[in-house]
Amino acid sequence: MTYLKDLREYMDALDKLGDLRVIDREVDPHLEVGAVIRRVYETKAPAPLFNNLKGSEPGYRLFGAPGGLSSAPGQPLARIALSIGLDADADARKIVETLAEARTRKPIEPVLVETGPVKQNILLGDDASLDRFPTPLLHDGDGGPYVNTWGTIVARTPDGKFTNWSIARIMMIDEKTMTGLVLPGQHINHVWQQWVDIGQPMPFALVQGGPPVLPIVSGMPLATGVEEGGYIGGLLGEPIELVQCETVDLQVPATAEIVIEGHLSIERTAVEGPMGEFAGYVPSHTTMCPVYSIEAITHRDDPIWPTCVEGEPVDEFHTVTGLAAAAEGLAALRAAGLPVTTAWMPFDAATHLLVVSVAPDWRKQLPGVSTGELTQRIHDVIYAQRFTVTVPRLVVLDDDVDTSNVAELMWALATRVHPTKRRILQTAPILPLLACYTLEERHAASAEHVTYDALFPAIDEGREPRASFRYNYPAEIQERVIAHWND
């Protein structure tokens, strides 16, 4: 594996693939930046680097679509693959397998170093202001400019026993304050609540443009008690280097582009949102959230601020959250001893669907177990995971389907999922941003989830073979046809 240690190494790697586009003309952070990045996603164009942002100090740059689908031919997941140390041509199954397998490795804890590039500029007091940075209004209808869409929030429990690195959206209030989602079920809420309980504001550090693996892992729904820093070390085979913050007792990646330090209030006094979100809509509701007060900013020379613009698939929420949730689900199913081969959260379904693939010989591994029984076991494991607040639908399929192939998956779902039978219904917590539920269900943050048993019956129960080139014809016929195809 190749560990890209900072955002600039990552951007150089994209440039070599032809997947980076430098924009030197003046671009307005008010909607125009967001419009460019949205069109990048929707046309699978190279990731844009904005060098000339209206209203920003010279040298302050913005990098868009850092985890979107790549424009490199035959390498659609290159941005994610490179971020986690794989080759650019790694496919969906390889990425999910790599992330899941890393959960079984011994963590390699971060190491503290004396200094790093993020300390090239240290702004304290009144100088620590967002006004000098390009904070964009991303969607028409957003509640304000968004400071954080791809950065990592570092927080630690008051007793110092657990440090969490996570991603949550953060909106600018003014040059010295911000507000953002702190939702039940998230680890940042778990940490914040402990500070609330002792009546003290929570120290935080917001990291922009760290090692490219950082936002990928920060978006993973790791189990309670698992720290992202150690997981990253185990994934990459070496520790990530951290430096001490200036004003709070937290440590951040030494190669980060920008770090914002301060405290998060114990009261929910600020109106946050709305914001265009992963379901593909701009919701109308707002939320009362705590306030981030800024006390220090450190940054590299000519800093680069990475930004994503959520909306209709496919953007970073779908790639990162989809891959990470699939990997976490796969790891949990394997830990339970179930005969599964992979899991996949289709990007085009806006993470509203998880598909689990079952090994061809599962009946030999579980003699006497019916398809319904196996589906129930898979359901029980998956819906014990934290990430299922974003998964209203789970489908269990045989592994003859390439679930990362949208056309093949759509065919399988249409022909193997019974319209009304072979399903499990369960009421469970949901993320209120899920678009498929009623307003009442979203306000209650609870609704029904469904799991479909779409497994083939046994051969002696009427299983029908697939009528396709790959499955219907003898190998020698396939080879002959391919050998003469250009004729």
Side-chain angles (χ1 to χ4, degrees), residues 18 28 54 137 141 164 226 235 267 281-282 310 353 359 366 381 391 408 456:
D28 194 338
K54 183 178 179 181
L137 183 69
N164 176 234
V226 177
L235 172 66
E267 304 92 4
Y281 304 93
V282 181
E310 290 182 16
L353 169 67
L366 299 173
V381 171
V391 185
E408 193 168 346
F456 269 136

Side-chain angles (χ1 to χ4, degrees), residues 371-381 396 424 426 451:
T371 63
E373 290 171 312
L374 177 57
T375 299
Q376 182 69 59
R377 294 185 192 182
I378 291 171
H379 168 93
D380 291 344
V381 171
V396 181
I424 302 165
Q426 175 179 321
T451 297

Side-chain angles (χ1 to χ4, degrees), residues 262-316:
H263 287 81
L264 182 62
S265 69
I266 61 174
E267 304 92 4
R268 294 179 178 269
T269 58
V271 177
E272 191 278 340
M275 178 190 178
E277 269 287 358
F278 69 93
Y281 304 93
V282 181
S284 59
H285 63 271
T286 59
T287 309
M288 297 304 294
C289 291
V291 174
Y292 291 88
S293 296
I294 300 170
E295 296 158 17
I297 299 177
T298 64
H299 67 84
R300 297 178 68 151
D301 294 337
D302 299 326
I304 305 169
W305 196 301
T307 300
C308 62
V309 184
E310 290 182 16
E312 294 182 27
V314 177
D315 56 53
E316 282 80 5

Side-chain angles (χ1 to χ4, degrees), residues 208-223:
Q208 300 289 351
V213 69
L214 182 64
I216 307 296
V217 174
S218 298
M220 289 186 70
L222 296 177

